[in-house]
Amino acid sequence: MVTHKIAVLPGDGIGPEIVEQGIKVLKALETHLNCNFELEYADIGGAALETSGVPLPESTLKLSLEADAVYLGAVGDYKWDTIEPERRPEQGLLQIRKALELFANLRPVKAYRPLLHASTLKPEIVDGIDILVVRELTGGLYFGKPRQKEAEKAFDTMLYTKPEIERIAHVAFKLAQKRSHKLCSVDKANVLASSQLWRETVEMIAQGYPDVELSHMYVDNASMQLIRNPKQFDVLLTENTFGDILSDEASMLTGSLGMLPSASLGEHERALYEPSHGSAPKYAGQNKVNPIATIMSVAMMLDYSFGYSEAAQWVDAAVAKALEQGVRTYDIAEPGSQVVGTSQMGDKVVEGVLACCEQQARL
Ligand code: IPM
Ligand code: MG
């Protein structure tokens, strides 16, 4: 039997309760896949600050480096708002992304039919959207040096090297080839030097992918177009900060930030899966929030890290089925619908996944 080692880092706030739902889904698949998901838990973010005084302890990093995949909940809590910036819980997340060299963050934005009314946009605008945001994850403002904060002055550096742009562009073009062969690269090349290099480099890489139709868009326009006519987009490629902002915006097309999974990949086999949303500390421990983004991150793990693409589709189908049956967490509920908690949504998806396994076994 194959064993897949997963480093599980629940983190803070709602992290532990949403991760638990994804783990239930993984465990439900073990028998059918004839494999063993070996789970090793470790702290990150505020949870790690409590136990070891740093947001990413050595032991957590070591476990993550040795694992076949990392599964993360969320980091951050108000109670750490006044701590020195280098020790903020968010640093744990940034450090692990950097240490594992996970430069490619994939955030699929898909509209589920039963949720069309959950979006703040008109149903006909969001119906059928299927966008993949490819966000560069280890460069730009998040990591650029120098950075400094003084009493009267502060600055960050938006730095990109050509190789950093090349490698993320390759990822995006390859993904576009597997989808509708359309790629829109988002930048601010009318103002920023880093964006000018970004655009030139993306154009150069495009020559190796003549079957992909490349377009460029300024980020301000892209953020407007995303809510004006989101269906024009398929793969969106962008740098770290723009990707952070645009992916939160894009999540609203699906109805809720709680619907957006993510996979962070690099050149090595390593990968990290986490929902695109934060730790929502005010909802922690209430069995209230939507676990779908975290569960769908498991689907991405099954597909990208372990090659179980069929099982990944079952998870997707089980989520779709639960939604079709009217199962809703509060964030995606329409008036009058029956609202369930985090773990009930998880159970529903598990039920759907097991049904897929049984159906398959009968064939
Ligand atoms: C995300 C989050 C993180 C980011 C935070 C928590 C540091 O917003 O994954 O989008 O900015 O990358
Ligand atoms: Mg974000």
Side-chain angles (χ1 to χ4, degrees):
M1 198 193 307
V2 204
T3 292
H4 303 291
K5 267 178 67 178
I6 304 175
V8 184
L9 318 179
D12 308 321
I14 57 167
E17 57 203 283
I18 50 177
V19 159
E20 198 186 316
Q21 309 314 312
I23 297 296
K24 288 199 302 209
V25 171
L26 270 176
K27 286 283 162 189
L29 282 161
E30 275 184 329
T31 314
H32 186 86
L33 296 174
N34 192 27
C35 72
N36 173 27
F37 294 111
E38 194 182 294
L39 311 173
E40 287 199 62
Y41 285 75
D43 288 330
I44 192 164
L49 281 163
E50 303 269 6
T51 51
S52 51
V54 288
L56 180 66
E58 275 295 321
S59 52
T60 301
L61 180 57
K62 184 164 180 285
L63 184 76
S64 304
L65 284 165
E66 287 166 359
D68 299 318
V70 181
Y71 189 41
L72 192 144
V75 297
D77 197 330
Y78 311 126
K79 87 172 178 231
W80 305 102
D81 275 355
T82 51
I83 198 174
E84 324 79 278
E86 324 59 81
R87 285 175 65 221
R88 280 187 70 102
E90 289 81 359
Q91 286 302 318
L93 183 56
L94 302 188
Q95 286 167 14
I96 197 172
R97 288 172 177 171
K98 192 73 172 177
L100 270 56
E101 296 173 73
L102 306 172
F103 63 86
N105 182 222
L106 277 39
R107 299 187 161 182
V109 184
K110 236 177 81 175
Y112 288 89
R113 269 261 156 81
L115 293 189
L116 285 184
H117 292 277
S119 174
T120 47
L121 297 179
K122 294 189 187 105
E124 63 271 25
I125 301 287
V126 291
D127 189 17
I129 60 143
D130 185 359
I131 300 172
L132 179 64
V133 178
V134 179
R135 168 188 178 195
E136 200 290 328
L137 202 60
T138 52
L141 285 173
Y142 278 60
F143 296 95
K145 297 255 167 55
R147 75 165 57 200
Q148 199 167 306
K149 181 168 173 291
E150 295 166 18
E152 298 289 324
K153 183 175 91 181
F155 58 87
D156 298 281
T157 301
M158 193 182 234
L159 175 76
Y160 271 105
T161 64
K162 206 165 176 195
E164 280 177 316
I165 305 168
E166 285 171 1
R167 64 184 185 175
I168 188 72
H170 279 297
V171 170
F173 276 105
K174 290 199 174 100
L175 288 163
Q177 283 183 322
K178 290 196 196 141
R179 294 170 54 102
S180 71
H181 296 255
K182 265 177 66 185
L183 173 64
C184 178
S185 172
V186 175
D187 61 37
K188 189 70 189 172
N190 50 347
V191 177
L192 302 175
S194 56
S195 278
Q196 286 148 14
L197 182 67
W198 181 278
R199 192 174 281 218
E200 275 163 39
T201 310
V202 171
E203 271 182 357
M204 189 193 81
I205 299 299
Q207 291 173 10
Y209 301 88
D211 55 331
V212 176
E213 183 196 321
L214 171 68
S215 59
H216 300 278
M217 202 179 271
Y218 296 138
V219 63
D220 46 353
N221 185 22
S223 75
M224 183 270 281
Q225 295 294 342
L226 259 178
I227 50 173
R228 191 186 81 88
N229 174 21
K231 272 181 259 189
Q232 68 186 288
F233 296 116
D234 191 76
V235 180
L236 269 178
L237 163 65
T238 193
E239 66 86 47
N240 204 347
T241 306
F242 298 162
D244 180 44
I245 298 167
L246 290 180
S247 60
D248 264 34
E249 186 190 356
S251 78
M252 281 299 107
L253 307 171
T254 70
S256 168
L257 187 51
M259 296 296 296
L260 213 66
S262 96
S264 302
L265 313 171
E267 255 141 30
H268 310 285
E269 300 282 272
R270 292 185 205 115
L272 182 150
Y273 301 87
E274 57 171 330
S276 301
H277 60 71
S279 57
K282 76 171 181 196
Y283 293 123
Q286 295 174 28
N287 188 37
K288 180 176 167 100
V289 298
N290 187 349
I292 291 180
T294 316
I295 292 175
M296 291 300 294
S297 302
V298 159
M300 296 184 87
M301 181 194 300
L302 289 166
D303 191 7
Y304 291 112
S305 280
F306 306 136
Y308 299 126
S309 51
E310 198 181 20
Q313 282 165 22
W314 295 345
V315 177
D316 196 355
V319 167
K321 190 166 149 197
L323 296 174
E324 272 153 33
Q325 290 172 347
V327 184
R328 302 277 188 277
T329 41
Y330 83 98
D331 56 318
I332 48 175
E334 52 280 81
S337 64
Q338 200 204 337
V339 177
V340 303
T342 310
S343 67
Q344 289 72 29
M345 180 61 95
D347 291 343
K348 241 348 203 197
V349 178
V350 166
E351 198 183 294
V353 165
L354 288 173
C356 289
C357 294
E358 271 167 38
Q359 200 178 14
Q360 188 69 21
R362 276 199 302 269
L363 292 179

